[in-house]
């Protein structure tokens, strides 16, 4: 199993550009989510999905879109990049939507995004 | 809403014990977790505890839970330089399955 993979690892954008951060998992997990990590702010939930075709907003969804057409993939789209979106982005997945240690969240290695 | 609080930094000498503290507000939390993030990597689950437990020990790690005070701690015995990382406290349960993470505590281990 590759686990949770994210591409690209690094990206530099200019203000106003759009791009898609890719996330894939090969563990047949139902639940997938996107977080951004900023210094001193910890992890903030952007969007999440409880299964193919179902997405919902997290704490900081503005400026981002997601879709979940398959169980494996959960791309995050930046519609018009802004410097405030400079951050490290993590994708995570877990087996089901329920909590518990048997539902450990697996994190990808992250995408480091800089918006100039 | 639910909140999880941690101090941002902890510095210890190699060989000493480290204690990382966390407080949370959701009284219906069912599961509490500690995740470890090494430099340049994603988070990995380190250990967890059910809310009906007071303590859990796993090799050098000891987790203590005071449910009355909503206080969770992680003790690392004989701290090594390889333990240098950011440690995140998280909770889930009650009405939400989505875990809530603290801001993370940067543990710095110096010789």
């Amino acid at each position: 199993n590759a686990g949770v993979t994210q591409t690209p690892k690094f990206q530099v954008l200019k203000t106003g550009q759009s791009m898609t951060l890719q996330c894939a998992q090969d563990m047949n997990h139902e639940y997938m989510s996107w977080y951004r990590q900023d210094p001193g702010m910890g992890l903030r939930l952007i969007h999440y999905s409880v299964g193919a075709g179902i997405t919902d907003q997290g704490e900081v969804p503005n400026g981002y879109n997601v879709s979940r057409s398959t169980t494996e993939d959960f791309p995050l789209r930046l519609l018009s990049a802004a410097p405030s979106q400079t951050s490290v982005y993590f994708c995570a997945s877990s087996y089901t939507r329920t909590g518990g240690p048997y539902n450990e969240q697996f994190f990808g290695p992250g995408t480091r995004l800089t918006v100039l | 809403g639910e909140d999880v609080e941690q101090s941002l930094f902890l510095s210890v000498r190699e060989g000493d014990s480290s204690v990382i503290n966390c407080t949370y507000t959701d009284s219906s939390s069912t599961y509490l977790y500690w995740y470890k993030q090494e430099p340049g990597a994603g988070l990995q689950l380190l250990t967890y505890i059910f809310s009906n437990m007071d303590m859990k020990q796993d090799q050098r790690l000891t987790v203590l839970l005071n449910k009355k005070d909503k206080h969770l701690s992680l003790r690392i015995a004989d701290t090594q330089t390889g333990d240098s990382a950011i440690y995140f406290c998280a909770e889930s349960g009650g009405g939400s399955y989505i875990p809530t993470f603290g801001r993370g505590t940067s543990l710095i281990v110096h010789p």
Side-chain angles (χ1 to χ4, degrees):
Chain A
N1 284 350
V4 180
T5 58
Q6 290 184 238
T7 56
K9 288 187 179 179
F10 301 93
Q11 183 70 51
V12 178
L13 293 177
K14 294 181 180 178
T15 297
Q17 286 184 313
S18 62
M19 80 158 294
T20 299
L21 307 185
Q22 301 292 344
C23 174
Q25 52 88 12
D26 61 357
M27 297 174 281
N28 201 31
H29 284 172
E30 285 188 355
Y31 179 79
M32 297 184 74
S33 54
W34 276 101
Y35 293 88
R36 58 178 290 173
Q37 183 180 28
D38 303 292
M41 299 294 288
L43 293 175
R44 291 186 290 171
L45 184 65
I46 305 171
H47 285 285
Y48 64 96
S49 168
V50 299
I54 306 169
T55 63
D56 207 344
Q57 296 181 348
E59 182 186 353
V60 289
N62 292 342
Y64 307 94
N65 271 357
V66 291
S67 59
R68 184 94 180 270
S69 56
T70 66
T71 301
E72 294 78 20
D73 301 297
F74 190 43
L76 177 73
R77 296 184 190 84
L78 279 70
L79 308 171
S80 177
S84 61
Q85 293 178 303
T86 294
S87 188
V88 181
Y89 291 85
F90 289 100
C91 179
S93 75
S94 58
Y95 184 60
T96 71
R97 64 190 71 182
T98 58
Y102 309 109
N103 194 34
E104 173 187 349
Q105 288 223 41
F106 290 83
F107 284 81
T111 294
R112 284 148 183 81
L113 176 68
T114 301
V115 183
L116 303 175
Chain B
E2 294 81 10
D3 200 11
V4 177
E5 296 287 341
Q6 302 176 239
S7 55
L8 292 183
F9 298 100
L10 177 65
S11 178
V12 300
R13 193 179 301 275
E14 190 174 14
D16 288 349
S17 292
S18 309
V19 180
I20 303 171
N21 294 300
C22 169
T23 57
Y24 59 98
T25 59
D26 188 358
S27 58
S28 61
S29 294
T30 307
Y31 306 100
L32 297 119
Y33 314 87
W34 285 104
Y35 281 82
K36 179 182 180 182
Q37 182 184 29
E38 296 187 349
L43 282 70
Q44 283 191 305
L45 182 65
L46 195 59
T47 188
Y48 65 90
I49 190 168
F50 292 103
S51 62
N52 61 359
M53 297 169 64
D54 297 325
M55 184 181 85
K56 180 181 180 183
Q57 189 148 5
D58 184 1
Q59 298 182 336
R60 292 191 297 122
L61 305 178
T62 303
V63 179
L64 295 177
L65 175 60
N66 182 327
K67 195 172 181 181
K68 174 177 172 288
D69 294 339
K70 300 189 189 69
H71 182 268
L72 182 73
S73 68
L74 173 69
R75 178 177 181 269
I76 305 173
D78 187 24
T79 312
Q80 303 297 309
T81 54
D83 295 322
S84 294
I86 303 176
Y87 291 82
F88 288 88
C89 173
E91 63 86 22
S92 71
S96 174
Y97 50 83
I98 302 170
T100 300
F101 286 86
R103 296 185 177 189
T105 299
S106 289
L107 175 64
I108 301 162
V109 182
H110 54 91

